[in-house]
Amino acid sequence: MDIKYTTKNGWEAASAEDKQKVYPFCEEYKKFMDSAKTEREAVVKTIELAKANGFKSIDEFATLGHGDKIYINNRDKSVMLVVLGEDSTKGLNIVAAHIDSPRLDLKQNPLYEDTDLALFKTHYYGGIKKYQWTTIPLALHGVVVKGDGSKVNVVIGEDEGDPVFCITDLLPHLAEDQMKKTMREGIAGEGLNILIGSKPATVEKDKVKTAILDLLNQKYGIVEEDFISAELEAVPAAKARDIGFDRSMVGAYGQDDRVCAYTALAGILEVQKPVKTAVCVLADKEEVGSMGNTGMKSRFFEDTIAKILSMEKDGYSDLLLRKTFANSTCLSADVAAAIDPNYKDVSEALNSPKVNHGIVITKYTGSRGKAGSSDASAELVGLIRKLFNDNNVIWQTGELGKVDQGGGGTVAQYIANLNIETIDCGTALLSMHSPFEVAGKMDIYMTYKGYKAFYLMD
Ligand code: MN
Ligand code: MN
């Protein structure tokens, strides 16, 4: 081993065999990103891929044994995939990513008309820079539960022939006052209203709104009150694209955290008869604090593992569940912030990840003195470092910006609280939380390779 430590660019350090696999892997990744722009769509796509790879719903099993491949759907918003090892109580190898991303949710009463234009009111979800969401094509995805209880799926703005939607912004000529505001205040939350129509119906008042309601009623059979029991999400309409003359990066909406979700999924799909039970968790609600029954703070995870243990052997007890967690290891699979040459001053060069330098191991997250971080042990960092070195996974370490610059957290702390050894580990991004995030293809591939090696760890 070299006496000095430096990270290496994967395009220089990876084997020829690995380099060949990077671009084809990312073609499949881009397809996934285009078909999974919301947590619900990510669940559908994940289960589709799982079934094609021999996974079955846990409901189809009476008992479970070595090598069984199962998936567990949590309310169509979060999903777990499990490949049974020899004995789950000896510990699980868990990779936990999230499939929700920042976006604009429609309000419960979204539709209104102003100045002969129809608009939707929104409430943004997760941390966004609001100005980034104006003047870009938006698509609408989600579900509407109608008055009779039936559910309609909605996707508008993704097909070539579909219309799209947008949020208007002020022309520079008249933006004298707006341009004096801070970037935080320049676009208000209540200003993120989506333009959806302009053609009046032949009625007395609310002419454009009525015309829109007529169209929605014809196409989806919905009425205005149905919006109240809907979850409609406005997301960027753009597809995942290669970036650069060399096509070495992927630009896409929602790579936080579907890049880790996809690579965690791709890894477990290839796991056969592992020694330890391999678990892939794709959670919802991370961007708003992991709350609710589909978030990582939910008892769903514990309940599911309890169910698996009870199906694996007789004599289930609470102690057995706790023993299982105590023996388990988890990669909290979430993205890291890569150093951006345009904004180098917020990063500390020695400890910030670089694009193409591999999967990022982040010992601690948090902000202002590691607050809110579970801070992985040196022993666990040592274990993962050795695992990646032994398996020729290109890796680097990460920290979320300079100490006083801000920070953030992931699901790591909630899993660590279950008495599970947990560390953050994922792909570095540029423009995180923007409508078009950037990841290096080498890093995407190495994230997959790292997760797969982890699932197979004895
Ligand atoms: Mn994330
Ligand atoms: Mn995030």
Side-chain angles (χ1 to χ4, degrees), residues 256 286-287 433:
D256 176 5
E286 193 277 342
E287 295 295 356
H433 280 212

Side-chain angles (χ1 to χ4, degrees), residues 98 100-102 126-127 256-257 286-288 334-335 409-410 429 432-433 437:
H98 67 92
D100 61 316
S101 296
D256 176 5
D257 183 33
E286 193 277 342
E287 295 295 356
V288 292
D334 210 338
V335 292
T410 66
L429 296 185
M432 193 196 293
H433 280 212
E437 302 171 311

Side-chain angles (χ1 to χ4, degrees), residues 31 44 79 83 102 104 107 123 127 164 174 193 211 221 239 241 250 252 348 360 373 376 378 389 414 418-419 453:
K31 281 185 209 160
V44 170
V79 63
V83 183
L104 306 177
K107 291 197 186 195
H123 194 138
V164 294
L174 296 179
N193 303 314
K239 301 240 186 297
R241 300 289 294 266
V250 172
E348 187 263 288
V360 183
S373 171
N389 281 339
Y414 314 119
L418 295 172
N419 196 22

